[in-house]
Amino acid sequence: MNVNVKAEPSFRESVDLMFNRAVALMDLSPGLEEKIRVCNSTYTVRFGVRLRGAIHTFTGYRSVHSEHMEPVKGGIRYAPNVHQDEVEALAALMTYKCALVEAPFGGSKGGLRIDPRQYDEHELELITRRFAYELIKRDLIHPSQNVPAPDMGTGEREMAWIADQYARMNTTDINARACVTGKPLNSGGIAGRVEATGRGVQYALREFFRDRLDVDKAGLSGTLDGKRVIVQGLGNVGYHAAKFLSEEDGCRITGIIERDGALFDPKGLNVEAVRSWIVKHGGVTGYPDAAHVVEGAAVLEEECDILIPAAMEGVIHMENAARIRAPLIIEAANGPVTAGADDILRRKGTVIIPDMYANAGGVTVSYFEWVKNLSHIRFGRMQRRQEESRHQLVVDELEALSDSLGKTWTLSPDFKARYLRGADELELVRSGLDDTMRIAYQSMRAIWHERGDVEDLRTAAYLVSIGKVAASYRAKGL
Ligand code: NAD
């Protein structure tokens, strides 16, 4: 990467610059703007774990950006280069994201400086439990104060360890399971959480393509069907987004970029096959059914209709922004476009669906999981069969009518099966997620189209979310 280091804003600076662009268009009282922008606190912990006969010291962070609503919420990331500024930038994005999608949380984020691929499962459990212990004893993991979730390098497994660690330390807390989200189903998780962020990316694109004017703005036409898509990062978010878009919306995944290069095939890649290859071989190298590009990042610049950066921050920067050919970028990762690149792309007319909206599916379904844990009952458990029996009444009545008319018409078996099935938890979660993504998109879109001084969806998203955070501070005082 040949980035102009001097001019390129850091992730943290990028978030602040984007925030500043938006607040310049708002009428916030003196001081409130600064109060919303700053990160309230960051706790840094260094702890030792005995592994392989020696003590290893690890560094972790938990930042709380805004407590205008509690608990605060945000994932825990495991990556070798995690640092305080990055965690604070991510915590700030969580504040704005939660406000935008009306998840009743403040913003937080955590990180552990570790390369998880260097440790086996048992070692990772020891490290995770120790990190969780340090955060739990300071209420930085707590069902009513601070609720983590998965992020890069962590998943259901780590969340289950954290939940168990909290339960061991708080044996009488009946809401213990609500201390973390993204847990496996058997440990208090919710159906549809693993897929949620990728699913949210799909719902966001569907909502975008419902609107002719917006599709025109990106210089595109038609529906998602047949659109050429390049995805960077086939991890949790990228894999699910690519899978759903190709299997359910007719998109062609022409490029997949991973750490060890990229796969490219204009006819479309088989997402499942590539994913299985990565799981087995640790990367895309050697995959037999597509061309391998060693300099993976170059594939970001290939021609396509939709570019989905779903790996990490800062991958589209001032050096490569002008060469990005995709007319539409959806930021599945947090902060993949730097503020400098954002300026270049905006001037080029590239439409960017911003991270705080695009990847909000994860926190939305985490919110549902937290509610499920606090209510101690699975969604749909009370209503499902009652709904089915009421639908059965209608079907019986229609069939009796059909009989009385000499069966001149009948209900198709497919209709009957679908109509009679009451919604289970997964269907309810998807419905709640779809509704959230549609409403949040419309709130940004209204500002984007109606205000002459707002050029892009990102600024519109900041205006919506900062407005909500400001209203919350005004209502209750600081
Ligand atoms: P993950 O660890 O499951 O996947 C990340 C993928 O990106 C991996 O396949 C990794 O090999 C690949 N990758 C890493 N560095 C790369 C590089 N330089 N070039 C190409 N590929 C690279 O992580 P994830 O949970 O899918 O998170 C990805 C992004 O989405 C992060 O920015 C994260 O903050 C954001 N996000 C995740 C969630 C969630 O629910 N997991 C929610 C919101 C936002």
Side-chain angles (χ1 to χ4, degrees):
M1 230 195 290
N2 177 22
V3 186
N4 180 346
V5 180
K6 274 202 185 107
E8 191 76 58
S10 70
F11 185 14
R12 166 80 184 273
E13 288 163 347
S14 285
V15 172
D16 284 348
L17 284 166
M18 290 164 178
F19 175 93
N20 291 344
R21 251 176 70 80
V23 289
L25 305 173
M26 299 177 80
D27 190 18
L28 295 182
S29 62
L32 182 55
E33 173 183 321
E34 172 77 353
K35 174 67 206 81
I36 297 175
R37 188 182 56 73
V38 298
C39 184
N40 288 2
S41 63
T42 299
Y43 172 68
T44 305
V45 58
R46 294 181 187 85
F47 58 91
V49 182
R50 188 180 292 279
L51 303 168
R52 306 172 198 176
I55 291 176
H56 294 243
T57 301
F58 297 90
T59 304
Y61 307 92
R62 187 79 184 157
S63 290
V64 174
H65 175 260
S66 176
E67 291 146 294
H68 69 288
M69 284 202 188
E70 285 182 315
V72 293
K73 188 110 191 55
I76 290 183
R77 163 178 292 198
Y78 283 5
N81 48 1
V82 165
H83 54 85
Q84 181 170 341
D85 259 21
E86 173 185 332
V87 178
E88 291 188 359
L90 289 162
L93 280 177
M94 282 307 297
T95 296
Y96 309 135
K97 192 180 301 187
C98 291
L100 182 65
V101 297
E102 297 184 336
F105 303 124
S108 182
K109 203 81 181 191
L112 185 63
R113 201 182 292 160
I114 183 178
D115 181 352
R117 291 172 302 174
Q118 303 303 318
Y119 299 90
D120 66 28
E121 187 167 10
H122 176 64
E123 291 170 332
L124 280 173
E125 180 176 349
L126 289 176
I127 298 163
T128 301
R129 284 185 182 274
R130 184 61 209 268
F131 183 32
Y133 170 82
E134 296 294 335
L135 298 181
I136 292 163
K137 73 178 184 192
R138 291 169 179 86
D139 289 341
L140 288 165
I141 296 178
H142 190 285
S144 59
Q145 293 194 33
N146 197 323
V147 183
D151 193 74
M152 193 197 279
T154 57
E156 286 189 327
R157 183 182 64 175
E158 287 73 15
M159 301 307 116
W161 292 332
I162 292 172
D164 185 64
Q165 186 65 33
Y166 181 89
R168 287 184 190 192
M169 294 168 68
N170 297 274
T171 49
T172 56
D173 185 347
I174 195 167
N175 292 321
R177 283 183 156 183
C179 76
V180 66
T181 58
K183 303 177 291 292
L185 257 182
N186 60 19
S187 309
I190 191 167
R193 174 60 184 88
V194 176
E195 65 168 46
T197 310
R199 183 65 79 181
V201 170
Q202 176 197 33
Y203 289 162
L205 281 171
R206 282 185 180 175
E207 186 62 2
F208 179 87
F209 274 87
R210 279 189 192 104
D211 198 305
R212 234 28 27 243
L213 275 179
D214 295 4
V215 177
D216 281 355
K217 274 199 182 216
L220 291 166
S221 60
T223 64
L224 276 170
D225 193 29
K227 293 287 178 292
R228 297 160 303 165
V229 176
I230 293 177
V231 183
Q232 184 190 39
L234 208 68
N236 179 315
V237 179
Y239 161 67
H240 286 104
K243 172 182 167 71
F244 299 143
L245 288 168
S246 59
E247 288 176 2
E248 298 171 15
D249 296 290
C251 290
R252 229 179 328 143
I253 311 298
T254 53
I256 290 175
I257 308 166
E258 261 294 330
R259 292 174 207 262
D260 62 332
L263 300 174
F264 191 73
D265 184 351
K267 293 197 297 297
L269 295 155
N270 180 333
V271 175
E272 282 303 331
V274 176
R275 171 77 167 189
S276 306
W277 185 270
I278 294 174
V279 169
K280 198 160 168 207
H281 302 273
V284 291
T285 309
Y287 180 74
D289 299 324
H292 181 252
V293 182
V294 178
E295 183 47 53
V299 173
L300 290 168
E301 300 164 21
E302 283 293 338
E303 207 180 297
C304 66
D305 300 307
I306 304 169
L307 178 60
I308 310 184
M312 57 184 291
E313 60 273 8
V315 293
I316 299 174
H317 41 74
M318 291 166 75
E319 201 273 324
N320 65 1
R323 297 194 301 274
I324 300 288
R325 284 186 275 176
L328 176 62
I329 299 175
I330 177 159
E331 295 181 326
N334 282 308
V337 176
T338 68
D342 192 61
D343 280 338
I344 296 169
L345 292 164
R346 200 170 341 104
R347 272 184 261 122
K348 257 175 34 142
T350 308
V351 172
I352 301 179
I353 303 181
D355 47 7
M356 80 168 79
Y357 166 69
N359 65 38
V363 74
T364 300
V365 177
S366 276
Y367 167 40
F368 302 155
E369 179 177 333
W370 182 72
V371 171
K372 175 184 178 182
N373 293 151
L374 294 179
S375 57
H376 300 268
I377 188 164
R378 159 169 56 80
F379 287 107
R381 183 163 177 179
M382 305 294 277
Q383 309 92 322
R384 185 177 177 190
R385 304 301 169 191
Q386 192 258 2
E387 192 187 330
E388 287 182 356
S389 57
R390 287 172 73 89
H391 286 189
Q392 186 69 53
L393 278 178
V394 176
V395 166
D396 290 348
E397 197 63 19
L398 286 171
E399 290 190 326
L401 186 64
S402 161
D403 285 348
S404 71
L405 294 173
K407 280 205 188 299
T408 46
W409 55 271
T410 51
L411 298 173
S412 75
D414 180 52
F415 167 80
K416 260 175 66 174
R418 292 205 299 162
Y419 186 67
L420 284 175
R421 203 183 61 236
D424 61 11
E425 184 168 84
L426 182 59
E427 277 176 86
L428 292 169
V429 162
R430 286 180 180 162
S431 156
L433 175 59
D434 193 11
D435 187 55
T436 303
M437 297 309 289
R438 291 191 200 204
I439 290 176
Y441 184 80
Q442 290 306 325
S443 69
M444 297 187 300
R445 184 191 180 277
I447 290 184
W448 187 31
H449 283 261
E450 285 161 21
R451 277 186 63 157
D453 55 353
V454 175
E455 297 168 43
D456 59 328
L457 277 167
R458 190 192 310 281
T459 306
Y462 271 99
L463 284 174
V464 174
S465 54
I466 296 168
K468 287 184 181 168
V469 178
S472 162
Y473 276 126
R474 275 193 215 104
K476 63 177 187 176
L478 290 176

